[in-house]
Amino acid sequence: MSSENGPEQGGAQDAPPEQLALIRETVRRAQTPRAKPRTWRGAALAKELPVARVLVDKGVLHLDRYFDYAVPEDLDAEAQPGVRVRVRFGAGRHRVRDGRREGGGLIDGFLVERLAESDYAGPLAALAQVVSPERILDEELLGLVRSVADRYAGSVADVLQLAVPPRNARAEKRESPQPLPAPPVPEPGSWARYEQGAAFVAALASGGAPRAVWNALPGPHWAEELA
């Protein structure tokens, strides 16, 4: 405290209200602004792969595509491909603040991939939340869901509601059991009566996908062979 503001013994308690207000304002400006979850205003973005491509849970055909969102640094570790996320959807282009889109309603979605940059030229909204770090949507399942949606003229979001069970937070906390060992190769059984029957069963048991045309021989074994 300078001599112009009074004696040194008084300390900050004897300072006039105007000076205390100035000190508080100076401290506020010096601190890094705390970003609010679900908007992450002013938050730093992830240093690597700061763009998340998200499949939003909107079963509308004209929205059956991916949307890009910015990844806040605080969500960098959890925001991995395949996890459930929440995003803000439906904000207009005019709702931009500090170079980041804001507004819109919160909806669920799946993070499909992380990218270094977006092909969308406008400002991106930030990921609002990682609902669970459990990675449940892999490339194989996504490809299958996309094939089913294309085949029956549906949307990927609608098919995912049936392909992926609802989240169970209690089950996620439990440790996953060890995977069961692969079953032994079955005996060919009545398939041995076919010239290539035993080889066909062995190919299936090894994880292959052999092609075959099957004309069942007469007898009561055709049901067992099909099973």
Side-chain angles (χ1 to χ4, degrees):
M1 196 172 192
S2 66
S3 59
E4 297 178 357
N5 291 326
E8 295 182 3
Q9 299 95 316
Q13 294 181 353
D14 298 332
E18 293 81 1
Q19 186 173 358
L20 290 177
L22 179 62
I23 293 174
R24 285 195 294 268
E25 183 64 25
T26 303
V27 172
R28 289 194 189 101
R29 292 178 180 178
Q31 293 177 345
T32 303
R34 186 177 180 182
K36 296 181 179 180
R38 300 189 177 181
T39 60
W40 301 101
R41 182 180 301 166
L45 298 182
K47 294 181 177 58
E48 296 183 2
L49 304 179
V51 177
R53 187 149 287 174
V54 176
L55 173 66
V56 297
D57 190 8
K58 283 278 190 180
V60 185
L61 286 178
H62 73 276
L63 297 179
D64 190 18
R65 55 191 177 89
Y66 301 139
F67 295 87
D68 291 348
Y69 287 83
V71 181
E73 191 173 25
D74 289 351
L75 298 181
D76 186 20
E78 295 182 349
Q80 299 300 320
V83 302
R84 299 177 190 266
V85 295
R86 300 201 80 194
V87 297
R88 291 196 172 272
F89 191 81
R93 296 193 176 202
H94 61 285
R95 303 190 67 176
V96 177
R97 184 166 182 174
D98 297 331
R100 200 165 298 172
R101 182 176 295 192
E102 294 185 355
L106 279 172
I107 64 171
D108 296 324
F110 291 94
L111 199 159
V112 176
E113 61 179 328
R114 292 277 298 270
L115 304 171
E117 58 184 12
S118 173
D119 52 9
Y120 177 69
L124 300 178
L127 283 179
Q129 179 187 6
V130 176
V131 177
S132 168
E134 196 78 19
R135 302 173 70 169
I136 56 176
L137 183 62
D138 57 17
E139 293 183 4
E140 183 179 3
L141 179 57
L142 182 60
L144 174 61
V145 170
R146 170 62 70 184
S147 298
V148 173
D150 292 344
R151 173 66 178 82
Y152 294 99
S155 67
V156 174
D158 283 340
V159 180
L160 271 177
Q161 291 181 358
L162 301 176
V164 178
R167 182 184 177 227
N168 189 317
R170 183 178 300 177
E172 285 183 0
K173 294 179 181 178
R174 293 198 298 264
E175 186 176 354
S176 299
Q178 293 296 327
L180 296 175
V185 178
E187 296 295 330
S190 62
W191 279 97
R193 61 187 184 145
Y194 300 91
E195 182 178 355
Q196 300 295 332
F200 179 71
V201 173
L204 288 174
S206 66
R211 293 185 177 185
V213 176
W214 177 43
N215 292 320
L217 294 175
H221 305 293
W222 66 268
E224 297 175 3
E225 292 166 357
L226 181 60

